[in-house]
């Protein structure tokens, strides 16, 4: 028997998307309203030294963000070295002297946990290592004969666990051999509770353990259950879904009846995959009702308007729906309730249906989305925050920080209203004192004299602070990332911020002015057009030179002036409508923000370590369009401004 008796929704042709016909939709698409739509993988909040909010609790391995063997082993050994160093320096009695209290409990006998255990044994720590399924279970479950990539090739992980094998089976033998003296206790840790200076590890169906330190190395896979059927160890069997469009036009078996299984089926079917969804029970009870509704809708109409903006499952890392654009195709879902998988072969699978009949179904890929507890639950139960999960305190801190930024900005811009509104006036001592500064350098022709005048303005300090932030965090980024691309990009941003966006307007141009460079001839005429004479500061508006880099409408003052400043209008026009589009055409959309602009510089340097906080997904991509609304508003203001110049009364 080859087909099932269940109704299968037919495969239809891809539809014409709005984006292919409507220029506005094409523009939106070019602006990335659709991709990336993946959700950021959530991980526990771990510091750079692997410590967590709970003193004595460390997280190592994949859950620190780099899913590679060498990094996992390295992190496990390093944390133990730190614990050993701290134990030596501590005046507290060794745990042998404190009854059942251990120096260390290691949760998870994977790569990171075993590396930690080797280091703990070498240093005679009093420790236990717990394992829920089998030691090195993630690696044991790699597909048969999988090639092993030991990146970075020149890295030698800390500790004694090393990797030389290049194929799965020799790798398993190699790491088992290196850890043969470590005997994990087969037990599933449920949570960690801190009681005074002792950590208690609660264990399923067993008494809990007490320790001074706990290392969590439970990996990303969680306690996923196996089907225990022949062929399950083939390379086409997965337990996470990242990119559904890879399965367009393929026969995919999804096993399970929870949100993971349903969301996987929906995502693949929406990209044109032919899904068989096999669940052992006669009806769904675990998934969210809206996922069941969506599945039903999609089974009735393969092009139904079904959106999943934020998957409930932590094993599905992509949003799905209409925004998929040309990747949205009609697939099919063949739901087999009360069925079980009997065997997985290279090009088909055998499934026994609810009536006991056997079906051989063509198959290219299998997703086993069953019986797994996501590792994050462990952290939630233990009170270790998950990055990106926001609570009231997070929102309050954000609001307070935003108000502080507003306050600083209004101080530098000499506005008064925030002081009145939020009741925090600007303190007098914050203001530069021109009389004291004048003592620094009385002659404006000298560097100190010019600096003294620049420094009597509040905006000087704002620009100095901005430039310092970009320089300091830029250097840190270069040191941290160490790739030629990042080095070049960060240097470009730093140099542009330091030279044309600070030294030029605050020092070079004023010095030239004080030396009479703009007092006569062509240079005077040009300076009159670009930096009009004023009665304050350096006597000319050199700050307008920011406009050489900050294109309209980033710096509006050179365009929205009382009377048209034709030089600036020409410069702005060339920047916004000729130079930047040419650069984008040649190098791509990120060229201005990523390599030149000062806002981009702040994002790439100070923001570099906070990228994971950026919300992802279709809703946020749509919200990103606020930028287009602001651009439209700037155009409207520009038209009004030009009208004002033409009808003098409006100005
Ligand atoms: C398919 C696949 C291919 C890969 N290929 C490569 C490669 O070629 N090169 C490379 O460098 N990296 C590769 N990796 C990544 C590598 O396997 C991981 O970086 C490494 O296994 C992570 O080690 P870990 O100790 O953090 O977690 P894991 O190795 O996943 O170990 C975690 C252990 O914790 C146990 N556990 C979970 N929960 C509990 C609990 N509550 N209580 C007790 N025990 C628990 C689990 O059973 C498991 O044994 C691959 C990963 C996968 C999934």
């Amino acid at each position: 028997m080859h087909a099932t008796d269940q109704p299968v929704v037919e495969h239809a042709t891809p539809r014409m998307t709005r984006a292919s016909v409507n220029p506005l939709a094409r523009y939106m698409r070019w602006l990335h309203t659709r991709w990336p739509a993946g959700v950021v993988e959530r991980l526990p909040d771990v510091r750079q030294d692997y410590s967590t909010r709970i003193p004595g609790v460390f997280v190592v391995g994949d859950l620190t963000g780099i899913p590679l063997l060498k990094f996992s082993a390295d992190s496990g050994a390093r944390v133990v070295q730190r614990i050993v160093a701290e134990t030596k320096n501590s005046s507290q009695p060794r745990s042998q002297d404190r009854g059942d209290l251990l120096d260390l409990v290691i949760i998870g006998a994977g790569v990171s946990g075993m590396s930690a255990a080797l280091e703990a044994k070498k240093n005679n720590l009093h420790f236990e290592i717990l394992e829920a399924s089998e030691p090195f279970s993630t690696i044991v479950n790699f597909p048969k004969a999988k090639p092993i990539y030991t990146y970075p090739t020149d890295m030698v992980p800390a500790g004694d666990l090393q990797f030389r094998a290049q194929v799965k089976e020799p790798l398993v033998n190699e790491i088992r051999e290196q850890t043969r003296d470590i005997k994990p206790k087969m037990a599933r840790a449920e949570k960690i509770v801190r009681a005074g200076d002792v950590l208690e590890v609660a264990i399923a169906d067993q008494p809990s353990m007490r320790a001074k330190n706990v290392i969590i190395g439970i990996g990303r896979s969680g306690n996923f259950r196996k089907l225990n059927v022949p062929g399950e160890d083939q390379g086409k069997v997965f337990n996470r879904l990242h990119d559904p469009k890879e399965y367009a036009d393929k026969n995919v078996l999804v096993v399970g009846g929870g949100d993971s299984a349903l969301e996987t089926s929906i995502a693949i079917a929406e990209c044109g995959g032919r899904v068989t969804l096999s669940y052992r029970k006669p009806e769904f009870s675990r998934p969210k009702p809206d996922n069941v509704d969506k599945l039903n809708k999609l089974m009735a109409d393969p092009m139904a308007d079904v959106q999943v903006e934020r998957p409930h499952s932590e094993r599905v890392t992509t949003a799905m729906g209409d925004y998929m654009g040309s990747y949205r195709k009609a697939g099919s879902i063949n739901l087999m309730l009360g069925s079980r998988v009997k065997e997985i072969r290279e090009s088909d699978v055998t499934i026994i249906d609810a009536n006991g009949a056997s079906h051989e179904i063509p198959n290219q890929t299998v997703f086993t989305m069953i019986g797994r507890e996501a590792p994050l639950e462990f952290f939630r139960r233990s009170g270790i925050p998950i990055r990106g999960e926001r609570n009231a305190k997070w929102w309050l801190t954000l609001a307070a920080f935003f108000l502080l930024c507003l306050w600083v900005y209004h101080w530098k811009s000499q506005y008064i209203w925030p002081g009145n509104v939020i009741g925090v006036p600007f303190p007098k001592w914050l203001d530069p004192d021109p009389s004291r500064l004048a003592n620094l350098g009385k002659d404006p022709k000298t560097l100190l004299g010019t600096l003294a005048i620049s420094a009597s303005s509040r905006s000087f300090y704002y620009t100095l602070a901005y430039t310092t932030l970009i320089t300091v965090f830029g250097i840190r980024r270069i040191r941290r990332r160490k790739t030629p691309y990042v080095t070049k990009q960060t240097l470009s941003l730093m140099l542009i911020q330091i030279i044309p966006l600070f030294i030029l307007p605050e020092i070079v141009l004023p010095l030239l002015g004080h030396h009479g460079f703009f007092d006569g001839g062509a240079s005077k005429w040009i300076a009159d057009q670009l930096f009009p004479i004023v009665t304050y500061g350096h006597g000319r508006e050199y700050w307008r030179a920011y406009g050489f880099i900050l294109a309209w409408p980033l710096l509006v003052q050179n365009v929205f002036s009382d009377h048209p400043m034709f030089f600036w209008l020409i410069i702005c026009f060339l920047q916004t409508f000729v130079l930047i589009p040419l650069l984008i055409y040649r190098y791509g959309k990120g060229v201005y923000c990523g390599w030149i602009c000062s806002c981009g510089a702040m994002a790439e340097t100070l923001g570099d370590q906070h990228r994971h906080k950026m919300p992802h997904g279709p809703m946020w991509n749509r919200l990103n369009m606020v930028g287009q609304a602001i651009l439209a508003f700037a155009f409207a203001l520009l038209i009004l401004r030009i009208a004002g110049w033409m009808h003098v009364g409006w100005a």
Side-chain angles (χ1 to χ4, degrees), residues 89-151:
N89 298 335
S90 154
S91 56
Q92 280 193 8
R94 291 293 305 258
S95 7
Q96 286 97 320
D97 314 325
R98 292 177 66 185
D100 62 348
L101 183 69
L102 297 162
D103 287 320
L104 173 65
V105 168
I106 301 166
I107 306 176
V111 173
S112 59
M114 285 298 223
S115 169
L118 283 177
E119 200 65 19
K121 194 171 173 62
K122 190 161 85 182
N123 287 284
N124 296 322
L125 291 190
H126 189 31
F127 77 99
E128 282 283 2
I129 174 164
L130 310 177
E131 170 53 48
S133 62
E134 79 174 289
F136 298 117
S137 70
T138 299
I139 298 176
V140 172
N141 285 301
F142 280 2
K144 210 184 265 176
K146 178 196 175 307
I148 302 298
Y149 307 99
T150 45
Y151 297 127

Side-chain angles (χ1 to χ4, degrees), residues 12-29:
T13 46
R15 76 172 154 181
M16 196 81 156
T17 57
R18 266 176 301 144
S20 56
V21 286
N22 179 343
L24 191 66
R26 280 177 63 194
Y27 174 62
M28 292 295 191
R29 186 180 170 72

